[in-house]
Amino acid sequence: MEGAIPELDHRFELPGTAQVVEGNGGLSKVRITCPEAVGEMYLHGAHVTSWKPVGGEEVLFLSSQSRWAQGHAIRGGVPVCFPWFGGKADDPTAPAHGFVRTRAWQLESIAQVGGAVTVSMFTESDEGTKRWWPAEFRLVHRATFGSELSLELVVTNTGGTSLRFEEALHAYHRVGNIEKTRVRGLDTVHYFDKTDSNRKKMQHGEIVIVSETDRVYLDTRDAIELEDPVLRRRTRVTKEDSRTTVVWNPWVQKAHSLSDFADDEWMQMICIESSNVSDFAVDLAPGQQYKMKALVRVANF
Ligand code: TA6
């Protein structure tokens, strides 16, 4: 359970640098103001909702229509998808993208490292999670807000049997105009096209978004570059121990169908998701740990 904000702030505050405050919908968030960046991370879903490197603009997209309530995912920022991605294969009633992005996590630590701040939050299996998934686990989301944004998911199998999980850092990047944005780094990589009955295809050259785009790129450890000529910036996402990358833009019709997404916001975002999903789900023996990391850097031009 989330502690009372004053109690959490008293325990974890770094005066003038990191505070635990009330955010949207009364949800608790960590607000960071450090020499290299400003940022925010909600205890709800351990959800990073803002990162702005000093001298730069907001990097993450956040919908103006997002919900801010237990049981609902925040629309934008970096939702944490675990222990499955998309719908649960054997249970259509299960929440999309798993159950951790819609629950209250606990604050583990806040630490200043040079000019950056690292916030660690965790969530663990309990009777509620076992309704959906029998495994025993501890999941830590460690986010470092600095001149780069580092996001690390650490899964520990705390049970006595092996488990298999999918995971994704479902990052919404803010862009000036999706139609002028280009995504590079996936040339010749195979992908499942979720807008075309999950057919397996191969990427030719850079990605240009001209309609709803929902692709799971397979067996790729490659870095991704997002070029935005409108905001005049290049975003580079490098990954560690992630074998799949998901690229998503809802385009017009899907955007209209999402109640927590304004009709025209599809033009200002693209999801680049460092992940281990589908054929590249992770098997973890009892007592073992698996870390996946995404590093986001931005350069203006
Ligand atoms: O990551 C792409 C995707 O799986 C899309 O299919 C779309 O459903 C998107 O995630 C958003 O999912 P959500 O459950 O957050 O609405």
Side-chain angles (χ1 to χ4, degrees), residues 20-98:
V20 183
V21 298
E22 181 171 326
N24 294 328
L27 298 172
S28 304
K29 69 179 181 183
V30 178
R31 180 178 56 203
I32 294 109
T33 308
C34 59
E36 293 179 9
V38 297
E40 289 184 347
M41 184 174 184
Y42 277 77
L43 274 78
H44 179 64
H47 200 126
V48 172
T49 52
S50 172
W51 171 59
K52 199 179 338 185
V54 164
E57 296 301 316
E58 179 59 60
V59 175
L60 302 176
F61 166 85
L62 194 60
S63 173
S64 60
Q65 305 299 308
S66 178
R67 291 190 191 90
W68 299 90
Q70 297 299 355
H72 291 284
I74 295 167
R75 177 66 68 184
V78 186
V80 175
C81 304
F82 176 88
W84 61 82
F85 183 78
K88 190 170 191 287
D90 59 358
D91 182 351
T93 68
H97 291 323

Side-chain angles (χ1 to χ4, degrees), residues 75 85 96-97 101 170 172 194 214 246 248 254 258 273:
R75 177 66 68 184
F85 183 78
H97 291 323
R101 64 174 182 164
H170 194 300
Y172 286 70
K194 291 170 69 175
D214 194 351
V246 180
W248 178 59
K254 179 80 182 258
L258 297 170
E273 305 164 38

Side-chain angles (χ1 to χ4, degrees), residues 228-243:
D228 181 342
V230 176
L231 297 182
R232 300 181 61 74
R233 71 181 176 195
R234 284 188 191 87
T235 302
R236 187 168 177 77
V237 181
T238 52
K239 313 189 299 179
E240 290 176 22
D241 300 312
S242 155
R243 301 280 299 279

Side-chain angles (χ1 to χ4, degrees), residues 13-227:
E13 182 191 17
L14 301 179
T17 299
Q19 298 84 30
V20 183
V21 298
E22 181 171 326
N24 294 328
L27 298 172
S28 304
K29 69 179 181 183
V30 178
R31 180 178 56 203
I32 294 109
T33 308
C34 59
E36 293 179 9
V38 297
E40 289 184 347
M41 184 174 184
Y42 277 77
L43 274 78
H44 179 64
H47 200 126
V48 172
T49 52
S50 172
W51 171 59
K52 199 179 338 185
V54 164
E57 296 301 316
E58 179 59 60
V59 175
L60 302 176
F61 166 85
L62 194 60
S63 173
S64 60
Q65 305 299 308
S66 178
R67 291 190 191 90
W68 299 90
Q70 297 299 355
H72 291 284
I74 295 167
R75 177 66 68 184
V78 186
V80 175
C81 304
F82 176 88
W84 61 82
F85 183 78
K88 190 170 191 287
D90 59 358
D91 182 351
T93 68
H97 291 323
F99 44 69
V100 300
R101 64 174 182 164
T102 53
R103 67 188 266 145
W105 290 45
Q106 295 179 67
L107 195 44
E108 181 177 70
S109 63
I110 303 178
Q112 179 150 5
V113 181
V117 166
T118 299
V119 181
S120 289
M121 296 182 182
F122 72 93
T123 191
E124 294 172 320
S125 50
D126 60 19
E127 288 320 303
T129 64
K130 288 178 182 169
R131 272 184 55 207
W132 302 109
W133 195 53
E136 311 253 350
F137 69 91
R138 177 182 169 92
L139 176 61
V140 173
H141 185 198
R142 190 167 297 129
T144 299
F145 299 82
S147 55
E148 303 167 344
L149 175 66
S150 166
L151 303 169
E152 188 176 53
L153 283 181
V154 185
V155 183
T156 305
N157 181 348
T158 54
T161 57
S162 291
L163 58 83
R164 168 170 291 193
F165 66 88
E166 294 178 301
E167 58 184 345
L169 288 161
H170 194 300
Y172 286 70
H173 291 265
R174 184 171 150 264
V175 297
N177 178 345
I178 192 58
E179 295 178 276
K180 298 187 185 310
T181 300
R182 298 293 180 265
V183 181
R184 301 189 179 106
L186 292 165
D187 184 25
T188 75
V189 177
H190 286 90
Y191 63 91
F192 289 133
D193 184 345
K194 291 170 69 175
T195 66
D196 185 12
S197 308
N198 243 19
R199 283 191 175 83
K200 194 168 185 177
K201 303 177 179 177
M202 188 172 87
Q203 182 60 38
H204 296 286
E206 62 187 14
I207 300 171
V208 182
I209 308 291
V210 296
S211 61
E212 181 181 354
T213 304
D214 194 351
R215 302 175 184 176
V216 180
Y217 287 86
L218 304 165
D219 199 9
T220 171
R221 300 174 184 275
D222 298 338
I224 300 291
E225 183 168 283
L226 202 49
E227 175 150 322

